Amino acid sequence: MSLEVRRTDEGLELELTGEWVAQRVPAIESGLAAVDLAAARQVSIATQRLSALDLSGAWALRQLLSRARAAGVAVSFRGPPPDQLRLLEEILADTSPAGASAASGPPARQPLTAIGRNAVLAGRDLLQGLAFVGRASTTLLRGLARPRRLRPISIARHVYDTGLTAVPIVALIAFLISVIIAYMSAKQLRGLGADIYVVDLVAIGVLRELGVLLTSIIVAGRSGSAFAAELGSMRLNEEVDALIATGVDPFEVLVLPRVLGLTIALPLLTIIADLTGLTGGALLCRYLLDMPLTQYASRVTEAIASTTFWVGLVKAPVFAVLIALAGCYRGLQVRESARELGRLVTVAVVQAIFCVILADALFAVLFMEMDV
Amino acid sequence: MLQVQGLVNRFGTQVVHDGLDMEVRADEVFGIVGGSGAGKSVLLRTILGLQRPIAGVVRIDGGDITRMSGAQLRSVKAHYGVTFQAGALYTGLTVLQNVQLPMIEHLELERSALQELALLRIRLVGLPAEAARKYPAELSGGMVKRAALARALALDPRLLFLDEPTSGLDPVSAAAFDELVLYLQKQLRLTIVMITHDLDSIFRTCNRVGVIVDGRMESDTLQRIVDHPHPWIRAYFHGERARARRGAAHGA
């Protein structure tokens, strides 16, 4: 118990007991809430039996005092009022309305304003994105004139980070996907006695579309997020500002090596995905369809045109640029908070994957028009 | 209040603490001083239970935190407050929410009480009420330190750890911050453990000082530690900067 209440002729006698500390505030508050001030004309408070009173405890006591004052009840202390109460009054002396407005938070947005605001923000975001691409391109052109400024060592590091370390996962996924296609199509085509076309499906599917597309999606998840997180935490740490302040262009040392590194790594990864994809198809044909490997090989060469492999591969550098730009752009947008970092890394990955698939769709139309 | 006995911390072959003893008494401001890499931060991290020592005992209010279970440690943590060197405010939350977070975790308060108690802390450290709504990124360096202090005071601790509270502040703000620390120490009867490099700050606020040298701690009252014979301590308190400071103090 934190409180003893006695009724006398004039009013209430409150005896505060035990520890009035932050940990006990909920109990104290419920104790105080039970005190019925209505019938009382005056309240006398004794604090001698308190074993501890901290600021939160004093605040709870003050709540009681202001409640009493509002009810027109006179309050007196038996003995001197506690020091903490005086400190509290001192702190709260300059009660300004700002304190109240601090409570109310931002004003609720009207739906119409929200639509307008979002439209403006989206437009501005698009413009900034274009500006970013523009700056990256001009930095590249300047770099081409003086190749040493392209930071070959840094590019090599990014080829390693985004390419070499991704080989196992890319190979595994390409292998599994080709097994899935082969298995799925074998079931359908066997009914028609057209088993042999399983090879066509695997070869063309993997080389033209799936090899590069899946690799790009994996890389967007792995490296797009890494770019955004790396640059984002550099921003939070003011490292980017430090670079700019020393007269180093962050596009030159941060953005461009990542874009170029990924542009080299992604086609290489795509080739690996193509190879393991074809291997997966071969194994499945060998063991599921009892097709000799020599027959598989000759069927693959028959199925694909001379362009099939290149049609897939040519997309890789384009996807790489999209992924790297999305990651770097969002990373450099991070400001102020860890939450912002998380949000923008998410945005980077989602947009990278979206851009890759959109670009792939455009490529599909383009290649159909070109008849390759 | 706080005792550390025979503390040993090692990273690989590098010995940081080699039998360090330290005692902080109730109601004092205890300064921890030491060269860069002497192990001030490791000591603080050990005391806070962020890191287990290889050997030694850390007692806070009598209980040895190196042998505590997670739940016990949690209840001890509700009894002390900490400010970190760079503030370590949660960047995604406003100042008000930063102060409220420990309260929400440890106390079961109603919304309105939470709000008022948090605002009270914010005013207590001398921040304007408008600052409550701001995010850490919108605050100046001095305000970040104050907001961190408000958060450290959220649960009305008896023990407060301050890691380099005045680093990065201009001398005027640093002096004002020291004043605030002293004011709070007196008014709230706090025991304060302060890691600092700032000689002015030490002379203004500390009753006793512990210097970490050679993996151990030499601690004594400020007046006596100044005349300690250890070469590093002599260099620290009698170096160029210290002399300049004392000269200024005598001249004034």
Side-chain angles (χ1 to χ4, degrees):
Chain A
M1 246 350 252
S2 49
L3 189 66
E4 284 171 21
V5 185
R6 278 184 295 274
R7 264 181 201 288
T8 61
D9 298 338
E10 297 96 68
L12 292 177
E13 270 183 21
L14 301 183
E15 173 117 48
L16 314 186
T17 57
E19 295 191 320
W20 279 48
V21 294
Q23 305 286 330
R24 311 249 312 122
V25 164
I28 293 168
E29 284 214 291
S30 61
L32 287 177
V35 174
D36 181 19
L37 289 169
R41 268 179 296 119
Q42 68 176 50
V43 176
S44 109
I45 300 174
T47 57
Q48 283 74 14
R49 277 174 60 202
L50 272 182
S51 55
L53 178 68
D54 69 10
L55 212 55
S56 306
W59 173 81
L61 182 57
R62 190 175 176 274
Q63 295 290 96
L64 175 74
L65 299 188
S66 46
R67 228 176 84 204
R69 218 169 292 134
V73 182
V75 182
S76 63
F77 281 92
R78 255 186 290 149
D83 284 349
Q84 290 87 338
L85 210 56
R86 190 185 42 71
L87 172 64
L88 201 58
E89 295 301 340
E90 212 172 277
I91 301 166
L92 295 173
D94 56 337
T95 303
S96 51
S101 69
S104 58
R109 288 195 191 145
Q110 301 293 319
L112 204 62
T113 359
I115 293 171
R117 189 193 305 269
N118 285 338
V120 171
L121 285 180
R124 208 178 288 164
D125 193 46
L126 190 68
L127 279 182
Q128 281 172 353
L130 284 176
F132 184 87
V133 175
R135 244 191 102 180
S137 320
T138 51
T139 315
L140 176 65
L141 289 179
R142 246 184 298 132
L144 289 177
R146 290 163 65 190
R148 252 197 3 181
R149 309 213 73 172
L150 290 178
R151 324 261 158 183
I153 294 173
S154 185
I155 292 175
R157 192 207 114 195
H158 289 296
V159 172
Y160 177 83
D161 281 351
T162 60
L164 212 56
T165 56
V167 167
I169 185 69
V170 165
L172 180 66
I173 288 185
F175 181 86
L176 292 176
I177 286 293
S178 68
V179 167
I180 293 169
I181 304 171
Y183 196 80
M184 199 177 68
S185 50
K187 259 195 130 175
Q188 306 297 321
L189 293 173
R190 194 172 255 173
L192 303 168
D195 295 18
I196 195 72
Y197 289 104
V198 171
V199 181
D200 296 51
L201 270 171
V202 170
I204 295 175
V206 167
L207 292 184
R208 255 190 106 105
E209 288 293 339
L210 291 173
V212 63
L213 193 61
L214 284 169
T215 308
S216 299
I217 289 172
I218 295 163
V219 166
R222 268 184 104 247
S223 305
S225 61
F227 289 174
E230 231 176 328
L231 297 191
S233 56
M234 284 182 79
R235 266 223 85 106
L236 290 181
N237 214 4
E238 296 185 317
E239 288 172 58
V240 177
D241 295 339
L243 280 176
I244 298 171
T246 25
V248 179
D249 182 3
F251 276 77
E252 195 180 301
V253 295
L254 298 178
V255 177
L256 218 51
R258 284 178 171 77
V259 175
L260 294 178
L262 198 62
T263 314
I264 296 170
L266 194 58
L268 296 178
L269 283 174
T270 303
I271 294 173
I272 289 171
D274 288 352
L275 284 175
T276 45
L278 290 179
T279 313
L283 284 181
L284 204 91
C285 289
R286 171 77 187 74
Y287 291 105
L288 192 76
L289 306 177
D290 290 325
M291 186 187 292
L293 285 179
T294 45
Q295 195 189 345
Y296 177 82
S298 65
R299 183 66 211 166
V300 167
T301 35
E302 268 173 55
I304 60 176
S306 57
T307 50
T308 311
F309 170 71
W310 294 108
V311 160
L313 194 64
V314 78
K315 295 189 271 194
V318 177
F319 293 173
V321 169
L322 291 174
I323 294 167
L325 284 178
C328 294
Y329 174 52
R330 294 302 172 189
L332 287 178
Q333 270 187 331
V334 173
R335 263 168 199 76
E336 294 171 4
S337 75
R339 181 186 291 177
E340 192 74 341
L341 177 64
R343 185 181 73 81
L344 285 165
V345 170
T346 312
V347 170
V349 174
V350 171
Q351 287 189 341
I353 292 176
F354 170 76
C355 289
V356 163
I357 291 178
L358 182 70
D360 199 32
L362 294 178
F363 270 120
V365 175
L366 177 72
F367 288 144
M368 209 183 73
E369 294 295 319
M370 286 167 63
D371 212 13
V372 285
Chain B
M1 195 91 202
L2 168 69
Q3 288 155 321
V4 178
Q5 281 164 359
L7 186 71
V8 178
N9 269 310
R10 262 195 307 265
F11 299 110
T13 55
Q14 188 201 354
V15 179
V16 181
H17 300 134
D18 184 17
L20 181 144
D21 298 316
M22 167 175 146
E23 190 184 355
V24 179
R25 297 165 197 159
D27 300 329
E28 70 176 357
V29 180
F30 186 87
I32 298 176
V33 176
S36 300
K40 300 183 296 290
S41 301
V42 177
L43 177 61
L44 182 65
R45 287 176 58 83
T46 311
I47 294 173
L48 297 178
L50 293 171
Q51 185 175 323
R52 295 233 165 204
I54 292 186
V57 173
V58 178
R59 285 203 190 87
I60 295 180
D61 278 332
D64 180 4
I65 63 141
T66 58
R67 296 200 192 344
M68 277 185 188
S69 68
Q72 284 171 312
L73 203 55
R74 198 179 125 86
S75 78
V76 172
K77 282 178 181 170
H79 290 96
Y80 62 68
V82 194
T83 70
F84 290 91
Q85 202 171 338
L89 293 172
Y90 309 119
T91 48
L93 304 177
T94 62
V95 171
L96 187 72
Q97 289 167 329
N98 261 284
V99 179
Q100 284 175 337
L101 190 109
M103 297 181 176
I104 294 170
E105 283 301 308
H106 287 280
L107 312 176
E108 283 159 22
L109 290 172
E110 283 174 34
R111 263 182 77 97
S112 63
L114 200 62
Q115 178 93 29
E116 285 199 37
L117 280 173
L119 276 172
L120 185 64
R121 285 345 181 258
I122 290 167
R123 311 189 75 123
L124 181 65
V125 298
L127 283 175
E130 305 89 77
R133 256 175 310 175
K134 291 193 174 156
Y135 285 90
E138 300 168 302
L139 300 179
S140 69
M143 286 167 96
V144 167
K145 300 267 186 190
R146 280 172 193 257
L149 189 58
R151 187 178 70 185
L153 291 170
L155 300 173
D156 281 331
R158 296 270 290 113
L159 180 60
L160 192 62
F161 296 96
L162 307 176
D163 189 358
E164 305 250 358
T166 54
S167 72
L169 297 185
D170 67 88
V172 178
S173 309
F177 195 87
D178 287 336
E179 287 298 315
L180 173 66
V181 167
L182 280 179
Y183 170 78
L184 294 175
Q185 195 270 331
K186 281 204 190 70
Q187 297 291 343
L188 305 176
R189 287 182 211 117
L190 297 170
T191 307
I192 297 179
V193 179
M194 183 157 101
I195 292 181
T196 185
H197 272 308
D198 184 347
L199 273 171
D200 295 319
S201 193
I202 294 170
F203 281 102
R204 268 195 299 261
T205 54
C206 295
N207 308 112
R208 293 200 312 133
V209 174
V211 187
I212 305 182
V213 278
D214 311 326
R216 291 160 182 275
M217 180 178 275
E218 304 287 347
S219 52
D220 213 326
T221 59
L222 181 60
Q223 288 77 20
R224 286 222 288 268
I225 201 86
V226 169
D227 297 320
H228 196 280
H230 190 284
W232 192 87
I233 303 179
R234 285 199 69 78
Y236 185 79
F237 285 107
H238 297 274
E240 202 69 40
R241 275 179 58 219
R243 256 203 305 279
R245 196 226 159 252
R246 291 174 138 203
H250 285 298

